[in-house]
Amino acid sequence: MPELSVRELLDLDRRHVWHPYGPMPGRQEPLVVESASGVRLRMADGSGELIDGMSSWWSAIHGYNHPVLNEAARGQLDRMSHVMFGGLTHEPAVQLAKRLVDMSPEGLEHVFLCDSGSVAVEVAVKMCLQHWRSLGRPGKQRLLTWRGGYHGDTWQPMSVCDPEGGMHELWQGVLQRQVFAEAPPAEFDEAYAERLRELIGRHADELAAVIVEPVVQGAGGMRFHSPEYLRVLREACDTHDVLLVLDEIATGFGRTGALFAADHAGVTPDVMCVGKALTGGYMTMAATLCTPRVADGISRGEVPVLAHGPTFMANPLAASVACASIDLLLGQDWRTEVKRIETGLRDGLAEAASAPGVRDVRVLGAIGVVQLDHEVDMAAATAAAVREGVWLRPFRDLVYTMPPFVTGDEDVARIARAVCAAAREG
């Protein structure tokens, strides 16, 4: 294709490209990125670079253009970029599955490789529904979750996102009606825990599974909650014969200060979903892990197979990069790096706590959140961050950051200043 000027590119973008969570044609002009390296995005208009405070929606934990991940991609390209997974297998997929089993909570032994986080949740729900159907209990077909959650934009995941005020409220009356508890308090509350136990017990005969984001609720509101609630859910699910699904798509691979958020509670779910940082942000890939109990239940049914198979399932190029990304993460002192970022964000965001219009400031691992008492003016907040040399993507009443783990101390401080500036202007 001929090289386009920035103006030509933006004109074509507005005419033809539908951006996420936006109208068509778009009303806000996006920034054009020319290249990326380390934690910086280079702008195509010659305005310089922006520090990426978002890790490309929480996925690029090693930053951009990383030589180890680049080499993994190049090496796999020379062998094969893709081959169908039906009836065939290959080393990158097998190696990735083994790595995921080894690093995940004990007991998760089977891995279904798919192509996005939302699809990983679809697969998880299908596993749970088919498990009970195969065991002769087809009435167990609803899901229980708590409000404030977000699990993706495809059909079943939308049904367990927050039903009021969330981005999928439009589909009320069309999606299956699930069972919702109130949003979990930040600190452990025995009265709330008892309500969870009671709700699971009351609906046990119709519940296939409980599904939650552990410790951190992501795009539904960036809320944090006590890991103790995960132990409550695990015990209640065991007591009432309900499966437990943990959506670790946003929280996995060290983001919260533990390898997986479930590790904060020391629990093993029956099914776990991972994605986002799985490939270090290089390309789309996700996985759904389950215990032998879930797999054995499915295999006993009239249809003893999991009827799901994306065309690009277990893509060897993505699997190779994912293996390299996991090795890169585990081969370094990632806990110290995440803790360093946590300290920097806590120090840098402290000033926002007393600022007008700020409801709350919270930090956990490599996550920093400033919650406003009003809907954020996204255009004004984004512009304020860009003036500070940082890329942020505020939403609803939140200005937040999830920087790459390789972000240096000076850049973490600059990101914190940008979050504060965005909160003031937004």
Side-chain angles (χ1 to χ4, degrees), residues 385-399:
V386 168
R387 286 195 296 272
E388 296 289 336
V390 176
W391 171 247
L392 299 174
R393 181 71 171 174
F395 74 104
R396 288 170 59 172
D397 58 348
L398 303 166
V399 182

Side-chain angles (χ1 to χ4, degrees), residues 115-345:
D115 41 7
S116 75
S118 189
V119 173
V121 175
E122 293 278 3
V123 170
V125 173
K126 185 178 285 188
M127 282 180 174
C128 295
L129 295 176
Q130 191 170 344
H131 170 86
W132 294 117
R133 189 171 292 270
S134 295
L135 295 181
R137 302 181 68 181
K140 291 173 74 67
Q141 58 183 254
R142 294 182 75 189
L143 305 170
L144 184 148
T145 188
W146 43 39
R147 293 181 182 273
Y150 173 82
H151 298 276
D153 297 337
T154 53
W155 203 246
Q156 286 283 11
M158 285 198 302
S159 75
V160 285
C161 294
D162 197 311
E164 296 179 6
M167 63 184 76
H168 302 314
E169 187 176 7
L170 171 69
W171 299 108
Q172 282 192 43
V174 181
L175 295 168
Q176 180 172 352
R177 291 179 64 251
Q178 309 294 11
V179 181
F180 286 89
E182 60 194 273
E187 303 300 327
F188 183 75
D189 180 342
E190 179 56 41
Y192 176 79
E194 187 54 37
R195 288 196 293 275
L196 288 178
R197 297 184 189 103
E198 189 276 330
L199 199 58
I200 293 170
R202 188 187 342 145
H203 292 276
D205 289 343
E206 60 178 338
L207 287 181
V210 171
I211 178 170
V212 298
E213 299 160 281
V215 180
V216 176
Q217 292 180 295
M222 301 305 297
R223 300 177 187 87
F224 305 161
H225 58 260
S226 168
E228 184 65 30
Y229 292 128
L230 304 183
R231 286 188 279 269
V232 171
L233 292 177
R234 179 70 279 175
E235 292 166 4
C237 286
D238 289 342
T239 298
H240 296 289
D241 208 14
V242 174
L243 299 175
L244 177 62
V245 180
L246 295 185
D247 177 350
E248 293 259 12
I249 292 163
T251 53
F253 306 103
R255 178 59 67 179
T256 68
L259 200 52
F260 294 100
D263 296 338
H264 288 294
V267 302
T268 296
D270 299 290
V271 182
M272 186 173 83
C273 304
V274 297
K276 288 194 180 293
L278 177 59
T279 67
Y282 265 54
M283 60 198 77
T284 183
M285 188 177 223
T288 307
L289 291 78
C290 73
T291 61
R293 172 196 178 191
V294 175
D296 291 347
I298 292 171
S299 69
R300 294 178 193 174
E302 181 181 352
V303 179
V305 301
L306 183 64
H308 203 95
T311 300
F312 289 95
M313 176 180 179
N315 172 258
L317 186 58
S320 290
V321 175
C323 286
S325 178
I326 291 172
D327 291 346
L328 192 59
L329 178 68
L330 299 183
Q332 60 182 316
D333 188 0
W334 62 269
R335 291 181 191 275
T336 297
E337 293 304 296
V338 171
K339 187 65 178 177
R340 175 184 59 78
I341 292 172
E342 180 181 62
T343 300
L345 290 177

Side-chain angles (χ1 to χ4, degrees), residues 38-39 52-55 60-64 255 341 402-407:
V39 300
D52 181 13
M54 305 304 294
S55 299
I61 57 174
H62 308 296
Y64 299 93
R255 178 59 67 179
I341 292 172
M402 286 188 175
F405 298 169
V406 295
T407 308

